Amino acid sequence: MWDFAGRDTAIDMGSATVRMHLKDRGVVCREPSLLARCRRTGRILALGVPAQKMAGRNPDVTLVRPVREGAPTETDAAEYMMRALVRRHHKRHYTARPRLVVTVPSGLTPVHYRALRFSAYQAGARRLTLLPTPIAAAIGMGMTSALRSDVTVIANIGAEVTDVGVIAFGGLVTSHTALIGGSALDRAIVDLVRREYHVSLSRSAAEEAKLEVGAVPPLGRRPVRQTEVNGRDIATGMPRSLVLTTVDVGRAIAGPVAEIVDAIGAGVTGCSPEISGDLLNVGVTLTGGCARLPGLERLIHDRTGLPARLGDDTGDAAVLGAAEVLRSARSQEPPTRDTSPHPQLMTTLPDLEY
């Protein structure tokens, strides 16, 4: 009967991409966290990829980002996005009320906590569990459980938030959240092109250049690549194309990348001496979209002395970990009278059965 009310659902509310996992179906959604809203009526016109295609093409449409800094900032828009995704992927269960696990930054503020709680319950959640992103990513990659005492360091580098967590003894020992991520790299590329080439570049074009030729300086033996981007000449207002090389992109992103590395270093400074001794052998596991930037592992090792490696190249580790938490807890559904409207914030690892 509870499956009829709605399949267990895990959601990774990223600032750039929202991912959804359904019980027995796997990851069913990887959509941009975007809504297209009509300026005149205020009505939502599209969600995800269709909304992204409307950007800059229809003057009567404005783009809304309901998730900022890893948490909802516009509760109405976040509620609409969550409700639309739940209804779309539950198919015939239009009135689905699933158990919901949502990943959140480890440094979630009370304001964001209340906004996320309101949006989730308004979207139809029967029960709500909030799971810090480092714990979710570690569980999703199978790196830790409540029965293991190993030390694990996860650095999730998202679009707007770098979330670093040290997990040991079955829980989150220390964490650090910095408001820096892949979007800062895109803005840095836009600023460099505007300053040196006098060309106004869109954020999407800067992101494509970062993914194609981006690398952390110094380049070493890595070959220099180049890509062509299109923008608007500031002086004439006419369309203009230019070629960006790996050196250009590397100079632009050097500052934001240094801030990301400093955030990772700050995330491990709060450990006790006993745990700090193990960090030299354990190292840092990188997840998130910006973690795939070439040369980032080497720079982290040079600046912090800790070995770094890419643990998740798909970005699905956090949502898979949230789904695993639901799987471990699905055996018993509490009675209705025990169901609390207050969400559960997990900072310890559940007993997972692998």
Side-chain angles (χ1 to χ4, degrees):
M1 290 298 297
W2 284 118
D3 281 346
F4 182 80
R7 292 175 180 265
D8 290 347
T9 305
I11 299 180
D12 180 18
M13 296 282 288
S15 302
T17 305
V18 56
R19 293 176 170 85
M20 176 179 289
H21 182 285
L22 292 186
K23 174 187 172 184
D24 299 331
R25 292 184 185 173
V27 181
V28 297
C29 169
R30 299 178 185 89
E31 290 278 354
S33 300
L34 289 175
L35 297 175
R37 175 185 290 165
C38 179
R39 295 180 185 271
R40 293 181 293 103
T41 63
R43 187 169 62 91
I44 302 298
L45 303 177
L47 163 68
V49 176
Q52 192 176 39
K53 293 180 179 179
M54 293 183 180
R57 291 176 171 84
N58 190 338
D60 193 36
V61 173
T62 178
L63 284 182
V64 179
R65 296 182 179 271
V67 180
R68 292 291 180 90
E69 302 174 3
T73 53
E74 295 192 20
T75 54
D76 293 341
E79 172 196 341
Y80 177 91
M81 183 175 69
M82 296 177 69
R83 183 172 64 248
L85 292 176
V86 167
R87 290 178 176 177
R88 176 192 302 175
H89 295 288
H90 280 75
K91 296 182 179 178
R92 65 186 179 90
H93 301 310
Y94 185 78
T95 58
R97 295 184 58 83
R99 291 193 306 175
L100 199 62
V101 173
V102 181
T103 62
V104 296
S106 57
L108 188 69
T109 64
V111 175
H112 288 161
Y113 174 85
R114 290 191 295 268
L116 182 56
R117 179 183 63 183
F118 176 82
S119 301
Y121 282 121
Q122 289 294 111
R126 179 169 84 249
R127 287 176 57 85
L128 176 63
T129 301
L130 305 181
L131 187 64
T133 302
I135 293 181
I139 295 175
M141 292 182 290
M143 299 181 61
T144 186
S145 69
L147 303 178
R148 296 171 56 183
S149 60
D150 300 343
V151 178
T152 303
V153 182
I154 301 293
N156 184 78
I157 309 173
E160 296 183 354
V161 174
T162 296
D163 200 0
V164 185
V166 180
I167 304 170
F169 310 110
L172 194 63
V173 176
T174 182
S175 63
H176 177 73
T177 302
L179 302 182
I180 186 71
S183 296
L185 276 63
D186 301 337
R187 291 192 298 268
I189 296 174
V190 172
D191 294 341
L192 179 134
V193 171
R194 186 181 186 90
R195 183 176 61 254
E196 297 189 1
Y197 297 98
H198 306 288
V199 173
S200 178
L201 201 63
S202 66
R203 190 74 62 85
S204 59
E207 182 180 7
E208 292 178 2
K210 178 188 68 177
L211 296 177
E212 290 184 10
V213 302
V216 175
L219 301 177
R221 298 180 179 179
R222 191 175 293 108
V224 176
R225 295 172 295 169
Q226 62 183 20
T227 182
E228 184 177 356
V229 294
N230 299 320
R232 179 176 59 86
D233 191 285
I234 297 177
T236 63
M238 298 298 293
R240 179 181 165 187
S241 62
L242 69 154
V243 175
L244 292 180
T245 65
T246 308
V247 177
D248 296 328
V249 176
R251 287 190 297 111
I253 66 177
V257 168
E259 296 183 31
I260 292 176
V261 176
D262 292 341
I264 296 175
V268 300
T269 55
C271 298
S272 63
E274 292 79 9
I275 296 179
S276 298
D278 296 335
L279 296 183
L280 294 175
N281 298 325
V282 173
V284 182
T285 302
L286 306 179
T287 64
C290 195
R292 297 191 294 270
L293 190 65
L296 184 58
E297 300 99 321
R298 172 188 47 77
L299 182 62
I300 293 174
H301 184 268
D302 294 342
R303 295 282 184 88
T304 65
L306 301 176
R309 62 182 179 274
L310 181 63
D312 172 39
D313 57 354
T314 63
D316 293 340
V319 72
L320 292 177
E324 188 65 26
V325 170
L326 272 174
R327 186 192 67 82
S328 65
R330 72 170 182 253
S331 58
Q332 292 184 353
E333 178 70 30
T336 305
R337 62 177 181 272
D338 294 337
T339 302
S340 172
H342 300 287
Q344 177 187 5
L345 179 60
M346 296 186 61
T347 57
T348 59
L349 298 173
D351 294 330
L352 302 177
E353 299 178 359
Y354 291 100

